Amino acid sequence: MFEITKRSALKVIAAAGIVASMAALPFAAPAYAESPFHTGVWQLNTPEGPRGLVVSDWLVFEDGLPKRWLYRRAGTNDENQFDFFSRTMGDSGYTPVGIRVYRTGENSMKYTLAPKGEEPVEVSAVRLSIPNFENSCLSVEKKGKRFFGNWVGTNGSKLKKLNVGKTKMTIDGEAREIAIEEVRVGRMGITEGGKPVAFLTDAGGDYAVLQWFKPGVTVEQMRNKEREILDFASEEIVRNPGGDCDRQIASRLKAMK
């Protein structure tokens, strides 16, 4: 956890890094026909100049990797306004910084960072990416098949190579007999010997997160769509070695002006 003052919040927005710490909420809401409005590549218009913001359905990216989980706040959203809690990857609870996305046009929004106990800091933003989920590499909709196959570890992950099949998961050459099921759009539950061991969650872009459970998680908890598991033994970010989204994102960010 970390505290952010109003002054440092401005720096955060300028850096567009901890902006990723924009609050996140559990994605327990039912799946919709398209990705959330915030999904995509954005230009933040800060007092220090334009800065990039990359957001998937569930996560805000920092330094090219998914970093902050987004959890939509129930009961605070309407057609144009979306409020989020956030959680930093690897933390066991919410980060004390909230985020609000307020749609001001088809491809524009106000983006508000609200550190707990401090005045919110708001900037305008314009979309640099294509909003339709079928053409957005940051969306997690309709991409269930992408969970299966080869993944490679990223900075901070312990594993180097991961292969996921319908009955077997191989980590750095060690095969494990597993069962895998979709527990919600963008998330697979993995059991071994009938016991839940992990989520494999689509992070958007070229990435997924292998979220290892702590002992005691039940099948019912793994399948629960209403209550999020926030405390994991570890969360490892993996990348699709054949993915093209990093290149697409970089190309969009070059369009800032």
Side-chain angles (χ1 to χ4, degrees), residues 2-23 44-54 60-63 67-68 86 88 95-99 111-116 118-123:
F2 55 89
E3 295 295 335
I4 298 181
T5 63
K6 183 177 181 181
R7 178 180 298 178
S8 63
L10 285 169
K11 291 180 180 178
V12 160
I13 286 182
I18 296 188
V19 159
S21 58
M22 295 176 18
L44 298 176
N45 300 312
T46 78
E48 291 78 16
R51 295 292 185 273
L53 174 69
V54 179
V60 181
F61 281 53
E62 279 187 31
D63 301 322
K67 180 68 174 181
R68 316 274 176 187
S86 65
T88 303
T95 299
V97 182
I99 292 176
Y111 188 77
T112 303
L113 185 68
K116 186 176 181 180
E118 303 290 336
E119 293 184 23
V121 179
E122 179 183 277
V123 298

Side-chain angles (χ1 to χ4, degrees), residues 150-171:
N150 294 318
W151 300 87
V152 295
T154 61
N155 293 338
S157 61
K158 295 180 181 179
L159 64 83
K160 294 181 179 179
K161 293 184 179 181
L162 169 69
N163 179 272
V164 180
K166 293 183 178 181
T167 60
K168 184 169 66 175
M169 177 172 65
T170 305
I171 300 175

